[in-house]
Amino acid sequence: MRHRSRRLMFGSLIASLALLSGLALVDSQRHARIVEDIAHAGDQVSAYQDAAYLSAREMSLLRASAANPRSAERRQVLGADTEAYQATLRIAELNPEATTVVQRQIHLRQVIIGYLSMLDHGKITEARESLETAIAPTYRRNAAKLLELRNRYQQEYDQRVADARHDSRRLLLAAVFTFVLSLIVIALFVWNSRAHRRQVETMATTDMLTGLPNRIAFTEHLHRALAVAPPDRTAPGVTVLTVNINGFRHVNDQLGPHVGDRLLAEAGRRLSTVVRDTDMVARTGGDEFAIMLRDLDPARAEDVAARLREAFDEPFQLDDVTVDLEISIGAATAADGDDVSTLLGNADSALHDAKEQHDGYRRFTGHSAQDSTDRLTLLGDLRRALTDASQFTLHYQPKIGLGGAGGLVGVEALARWHHPARGPVPPGQFVPVLESTSLIHPFTERVLTIALQQAREWLDAGHRIPVAVNLSTRSLLDESFTDRLAALLASTGVPGELLCIEITEHTVMSDPSTTIEALNRVRALGVKTSIDDFGTGYSSMTYLKLLPVDELKIDRSFVADMVTDPSSRALVASSVDLAHNLGLTVVAEGVEDAATAEALAALSCDTAQGYHFARPQSAADLTAGLPQRQPA
Ligand code: C2E
Ligand code: CA
Ligand code: CA
């Protein structure tokens, strides 16, 4: 609106300027004509004056010749007459009204010639009479007419000069006015382009969605803050918090970018209410925010982080959708010589740890700087590994039935990466890195393909061995996942019930309702589902009842301690009961000794998995041992 009215004002100013210039042009042309007219009128006036003078001169020569026929004047009469005649011809050219004067002059010439001949023949009296009766009256009439015309043109001339003066004054005024107006237009133009530049600058440094500063502005301010940070180490300096909204991508995918945008705007607003005016909150990309805390005791960053997380306790209400969101925060305080990218990188690395450990807040503690460089190198290596068919393989760990016939009831496929230079890299080191990028999708596809091809091979060899595959949250929530899974099942011809998808309890609890939907889609393909690492994710009973799962795997941390630690044993016991009440099969992971296996059997746990029975092994090794393990 402001923009439009400014444009309107500009337009009208320029239009009036153009109008004024047009008028000035017309005026100056008119002025040129006036000047021409003045010159013309001036010519006329002087022509009459000349004619009047020459004819008066002729008359005086005539009179002198009458007084003395032999005088010098007598000899000049004819020449003077010619000059007077030519002068009258000139005025007749300028003004047709003067033709009578010319005619009289011509007539006068005849009479004068007669007069001169009388003089020359000594007829002085006759000559004088002719002078008085014929020449002098004609001369007077001509003189009177010339005077009259001259006066008229003099008047016209005076009028024109007066007009011209008046016009000049108006032209001057118009010029001054145009000049002032031009100055105004130029001033407005300068002001406008400055305002425009300021607007562009603001746009370049502001995140339009949240109205917060963007990454560019943030790094710039951080750079300045670091430059003025106190040299003395005891004083508080700059702390950076990087904030990420857990599961935001999923909300965005499920509810649409429109809802996602509103969520981000509201999230930005909530974050801003927590910090002080001297601090800075910025949106640095996607669902990432960064906060710069100045002059803050580094230890107090934790309080700020807690308050930031509290700000997300309240659900987000958007039209008819209520969304619960949590944030993860990484913090890093500037050390001597830290630059912007180091500090941000440190905070990001702490954030990464916070997310990986399912911990809402982590502070950068120094040694993980190496980790983050490692992480980058690792990412590059992983990207290459995914194009190389040989680097990723699967090991299979048997799942052993504890009751009844016992024996092999299935296997869990565990990814193995053989790094060309570093050798084997454990999945705990590279899977989280993959999960932080979209590389997790091709990786999951690779794992599922290998696992299903292996299940197919076993089927062809006469072994029905269910294979469990670990699935990361991102893969499960990927919209195209179920379709790809269906295609893989179809292409390998493996029945859905021979595949089990393991997802961790954390995955389920980070967004139960969406996970339930995704699990239902997987189950519709006949595929089994399992909750991994059970006991670490604070499941709520309400959700457990609703979860479309077939199996519950008790986390190995409880299983490992159950013989020595009564509380672990109690947790295992209650998990077994709970699972059975919900009609699920229970698997205990990490069974490392016979005592644990016995204790589990005593608690009626269905299945066990662990080094006590078998380590994860290659498909070939496992196949080699099959005839002995295969239930009859
Ligand atoms: P997990 O799903 O809990 O897998 C079981 C882990 O426990 C495996 O470690 C296995 O080698 C180990 N384990 C088995 N028996 C014992 C035992 O008796 N004692 C002890 N201490 N450990 C035992 P691994 O192979 O290093 O895998 C670690 C984690 O990496 C897995 O934990 C899983 O979360 C993840 N992972 C492995 N493969 C994949 C995969 O293909 N995709 C995804 N998304 N994650 C995977
Ligand atoms: Ca697992
Ligand atoms: Ca597990």
Side-chain angles (χ1 to χ4, degrees):
M1 185 62 208
R2 248 180 60 211
H3 201 68
R4 239 180 79 194
S5 61
R6 203 190 297 165
R7 254 207 328 240
L8 208 76
M9 180 176 71
F10 240 113
S12 42
L13 269 172
I14 287 177
S16 21
L17 206 59
L19 190 75
L20 272 173
S21 312
L23 284 178
L25 197 76
V26 171
D27 243 20
S28 69
Q29 260 168 3
R30 211 168 56 93
H31 198 69
R33 260 200 317 278
I34 289 175
V35 171
E36 241 169 62
D37 287 351
I38 290 175
H40 185 68
D43 281 354
Q44 297 254 24
V45 171
S46 61
Y48 291 118
Q49 216 130 7
D50 282 357
Y53 164 74
L54 288 171
S55 100
R57 178 166 169 265
E58 183 187 7
M59 197 56 213
S60 83
L61 287 172
L62 281 167
R63 287 205 188 282
S65 65
N68 180 6
R70 306 223 176 277
S71 63
E73 281 84 354
R74 152 69 188 84
R75 285 192 298 276
Q76 292 171 21
V77 168
L78 269 183
D81 181 62
T82 308
E83 281 176 40
Y85 169 66
Q86 279 165 349
T88 52
L89 270 185
R90 259 205 315 280
I91 56 173
E93 265 168 33
L94 291 170
N95 184 1
E97 238 186 279
T99 38
T100 49
V101 181
V102 181
Q103 278 159 3
R104 273 196 214 113
Q105 193 70 34
I106 293 168
H107 169 72
L108 207 56
R109 191 174 175 83
Q110 307 300 319
V111 184
I112 287 171
I113 289 170
Y115 158 81
L116 288 177
S117 124
M118 285 180 222
L119 266 192
D120 295 345
H121 290 89
K123 301 177 185 167
I124 306 296
T125 323
E126 276 172 54
R128 280 184 185 152
E129 200 184 313
S130 163
L131 183 65
E132 290 314 323
T133 57
I135 298 173
T138 310
Y139 161 74
R140 273 198 296 276
R141 273 209 296 283
N142 255 7
K145 184 70 186 172
L146 283 174
L147 196 69
E148 179 210 320
L149 287 173
R150 190 202 78 104
N151 285 347
R152 192 161 359 122
Y153 283 105
Q154 183 67 53
Q155 253 176 23
E156 203 174 296
Y157 175 83
D158 292 345
Q159 183 57 47
R160 293 254 152 93
V161 170
D163 282 356
R165 275 213 192 99
H166 182 75
D167 242 54
S168 303
R169 266 202 299 276
R170 229 192 35 217
L171 268 175
L172 184 75
L173 220 74
V176 170
F177 190 64
T178 311
F179 177 72
V180 171
L181 206 67
S182 305
L183 279 185
I184 292 175
V185 168
I186 289 168
L188 273 176
F189 185 77
V190 170
W191 170 75
N192 193 45
S193 59
R194 277 215 187 131
H196 183 72
R197 206 175 51 219
R198 266 201 303 275
Q199 200 179 352
V200 169
E201 271 165 15
T202 314
M203 269 166 74
T205 53
T206 305
D207 167 52
M208 288 302 148
L209 190 66
T210 55
L212 294 173
N214 62 14
R215 179 175 278 276
I216 298 172
F218 186 78
T219 45
E220 206 177 289
H221 277 82
L222 185 55
H223 184 77
R224 262 185 258 148
L226 287 178
V228 298
D232 128 47
R233 285 157 162 270
T234 53
V238 179
T239 296
V240 167
L241 305 179
T242 48
V243 180
N244 199 212
I245 304 177
N246 302 342
F248 173 78
R249 182 188 300 269
H250 174 57
V251 173
N252 202 49
D253 288 351
Q254 292 289 310
L255 302 178
H258 173 67
V259 174
D261 286 357
R262 289 180 52 195
L263 268 179
L264 287 173
E266 171 64 11
R269 201 193 55 74
R270 289 192 189 183
L271 293 175
S272 304
T273 54
V274 173
V275 301
R276 303 167 302 180
D277 286 348
T278 47
D279 299 329
M280 182 184 203
V281 179
R283 178 169 168 239
T284 47
D287 58 333
E288 286 163 26
F289 293 84
I291 300 170
M292 172 165 58
L293 306 171
R294 262 178 281 217
D295 312 326
L296 185 89
D297 182 347
R300 299 235 355 260
E302 196 158 347
D303 298 344
V304 177
R307 272 186 286 127
L308 289 169
R309 295 180 64 207
E310 271 166 27
F312 282 70
D313 282 350
E314 181 101 349
F316 287 71
Q317 187 69 46
L318 306 164
D319 301 334
D320 47 352
V321 209
T322 310
V323 184
D324 278 292
L325 286 177
E326 283 184 344
I327 50 174
S328 299
I329 304 170
T333 299
D336 267 358
D338 273 357
D339 61 6
V340 169
S341 64
T342 314
L343 189 54
L344 274 175
N346 291 348
D348 274 344
S349 148
L351 173 66
H352 180 75
D353 288 351
K355 292 191 87 128
E356 200 176 304
Q357 306 299 319
H358 303 282
D359 197 354
Y361 168 78
R362 273 294 159 104
R363 159 170 280 287
F364 176 74
T365 46
H367 61 265
S368 55
Q370 184 56 39
D371 295 352
S372 72
T373 343
D374 282 356
R375 196 173 156 268
L376 279 181
T377 327
L378 209 60
L379 256 182
D381 292 348
L382 281 166
R383 194 167 278 124
R384 275 183 291 280
L386 280 166
T387 61
D388 176 348
S390 69
Q391 290 191 30
F392 288 116
T393 52
L394 291 184
H395 272 187
Y396 300 88
Q397 186 174 35
K399 286 170 155 179
I400 306 298
L402 287 176
L408 181 79
V409 294
V411 291
E412 178 178 3
L414 293 158
R416 294 292 174 259
W417 180 25
H418 191 88
H419 189 284
R422 289 159 58 165
V425 182
Q429 273 180 30
F430 70 83
V431 171
V433 178
L434 284 169
E435 278 173 341
S436 68
T437 73
S438 57
L439 285 181
I440 191 66
H441 300 313
F443 172 75
T444 299
E445 183 116 11
R446 172 77 61 88
V447 168
L448 279 167
T449 308
I450 303 174
L452 286 171
Q453 278 168 353
Q454 187 54 54
R456 178 75 253 168
E457 253 181 57
W458 280 325
L459 265 184
D460 292 344
H463 309 294
R464 269 185 81 83
I465 306 175
V467 181
V469 168
N470 294 285
L471 197 72
S472 69
T473 320
R474 264 181 95 165
S475 293
L476 178 71
L477 299 181
D478 179 24
E479 268 176 6
S480 58
F481 174 71
T482 332
D483 290 343
R484 289 213 303 272
L485 182 58
L488 281 175
L489 286 168
S491 68
T492 50
V494 174
E497 71 265 19
L498 282 190
L499 178 68
C500 178
I501 293 296
E502 292 189 8
I503 54 157
T504 66
E505 195 188 9
H506 288 293
T507 298
V508 178
M509 285 308 129
S510 67
D511 187 352
S513 53
T514 341
T515 316
I516 289 172
E517 279 170 35
L519 285 175
N520 273 324
R521 286 198 296 272
V522 168
R523 272 181 127 206
L525 301 172
V527 173
K528 304 280 183 209
T529 54
S530 173
I531 298 188
D532 205 354
D533 300 349
F534 185 77
T536 58
Y538 319 105
S539 288
S540 98
M541 264 304 286
T542 336
Y543 282 124
L544 270 183
K545 267 193 278 187
L546 296 171
L547 277 180
V549 289
D550 304 282
E551 186 185 84
L552 199 143
K553 293 182 85 171
I554 303 170
D555 189 71
R556 63 172 176 268
S557 58
F558 306 108
V559 176
D561 295 350
M562 66 178 286
V563 179
T564 50
D565 178 0
S567 68
S568 287
R569 187 192 168 86
L571 192 131
V572 174
S574 64
S575 300
V576 172
D577 283 347
L578 174 73
H580 284 164
N581 286 338
L582 295 172
L584 312 178
T585 309
V586 197
V587 182
E589 302 184 301
V591 181
E592 294 187 348
D593 49 53
T596 310
E598 278 161 28
L600 286 165
L603 290 174
S604 314
C605 179
D606 306 293
T607 310
Q609 188 184 338
Y611 296 164
H612 172 63
F613 300 102
R615 292 200 168 243
Q617 54 205 276
S618 69
D621 286 350
L622 196 129
T623 312
L626 271 180
Q628 300 94 287
R629 288 208 183 95
Q630 186 74 347

